[in-house]
Every structure is written in C-alpha cells, then in structure tokens.
Amino acid sequence: QISYILNALTKKTVKAKKELIKQGDKGDMFYIIESGQFSFVVDGEQVGDAKAGGTFGELALMYNCPRAATVRSEVDSVVWCLERAAFRQIMAGVSTMKQDEVRTALRSVSILKSLSGDQIQTLSDAVETVSFQPGDTIIRKGDQGNIF
C-alpha cells in the first residue's frame, strides 16, 4: 500500500501568497506540506496555519462537501498532492485493515471464543479504539463499568 501511495502522489510548487484552495469550491485533492507555510481563512478570518509535515484538504474528500476554508501559501512552498480517488481508496484500505486488527483482537479474548464469525463482525463494527498515554488511569476501583 505504501508503494501505491507514493506512486499516486504528485509534487507541486506553490508561490508565496497564492490561493491553493478556495472556500466553497469542490474538493479534489489532499495535500501534504513538504516545505513552506499555509494559512487557513474562513469567511475572511484567519483560523489557523500549517507548515512542513502538516496536511490539509481531507475533509472535503472524506465527506464530499465543499471546501471549508481558503488555503493560501504564506511563502514559496512545496506540497505533495493526492487525488480524490486515490485518497478514498487508501482510506477504505486503512479502514479494512483496522477492522481486521479489531476482529483478530476480539478472537483472542477467551470469553468471546464461542462467538460465530458474524457475531465477531457485528461486535467489531461497534468497537471504538481508545488510546492512552503512559500513566493514564484506565479503570479505577469503584467506578461504574460501562465500557468493555
């Protein structure tokens, strides 16, 4: 899958002060910033920025909605572009891989061993992954147990 992503990316140089995305337009690309800096403007107000290593443009591709912000380069910049079809195919593949990992984890739980494949699938559809940092409290004695 990594080679597919690398082959699907195209490199683009963006001059300073150029609008790369205009608020309200249809989204057709996802962008990864190699160098430079970009500002995000919504209804004429700057609401954020991004620099090397940052990304933008995914919301319009994921939800098939108009661009939520205008994106303008602040300095000469370089971005890598990924077209809508490739982006959606990659996201679908990531989702499938995640589901496979969840099903594998569920099958390893001893009290779930008697469940059928369909039951494991139904359970995996309801799973939400939660991440914890070292030292975070996951369960505290006496708390109500409402999460499995």
Side-chain angles (χ1 to χ4, degrees):
Q1 191 164 18
I2 290 174
S3 64
Y4 175 79
I5 295 169
L6 294 175
N7 289 329
L9 289 168
T10 56
K11 191 174 188 175
K12 181 174 184 167
T13 301
V14 184
K15 294 288 184 195
K17 306 301 178 190
K18 181 180 184 315
E19 282 186 0
L20 189 58
I21 291 176
K22 185 173 174 125
Q23 183 178 358
D25 283 356
K26 182 179 180 184
D28 60 351
M29 292 278 185
F30 169 68
Y31 299 92
I32 303 166
I33 306 168
E34 178 180 303
S35 64
Q37 184 170 346
F38 292 84
S39 60
F40 306 126
V41 178
V42 175
D43 299 328
E45 250 185 80
Q46 184 171 338
V47 295
D49 59 16
K51 54 186 177 182
T55 62
F56 56 90
E58 70 279 3
L59 293 179
L61 300 183
M62 289 171 61
Y63 301 112
N64 200 26
C65 62
R67 294 293 192 182
T70 295
V71 179
R72 185 181 72 184
S73 60
E74 295 301 319
V75 298
D76 288 347
S77 303
V78 176
V79 293
W80 288 90
C81 311
L82 187 63
E83 291 183 357
R84 171 191 290 274
F87 178 84
R88 292 183 70 94
Q89 186 173 1
I90 290 164
M91 294 305 292
V94 167
S95 179
T96 299
M97 288 183 342
K98 184 176 178 182
Q99 282 291 328
D100 289 345
E101 289 176 12
V102 169
R103 283 191 297 273
T104 299
L106 290 173
R107 285 186 186 107
S108 71
V109 177
S110 61
I111 63 171
L112 303 178
K113 294 248 187 236
S114 64
L115 296 180
S116 70
D118 287 343
Q119 290 170 320
I120 290 287
Q121 177 63 46
T122 300
L123 192 56
S124 74
D125 290 342
V127 167
E128 180 180 327
T129 303
V130 179
S131 299
F132 297 95
Q133 298 298 317
D136 285 354
T137 300
I138 299 170
I139 298 172
R140 180 172 285 119
K141 183 177 179 178
D143 283 353
Q144 182 176 355
N146 57 2
I147 298 175
F148 174 70

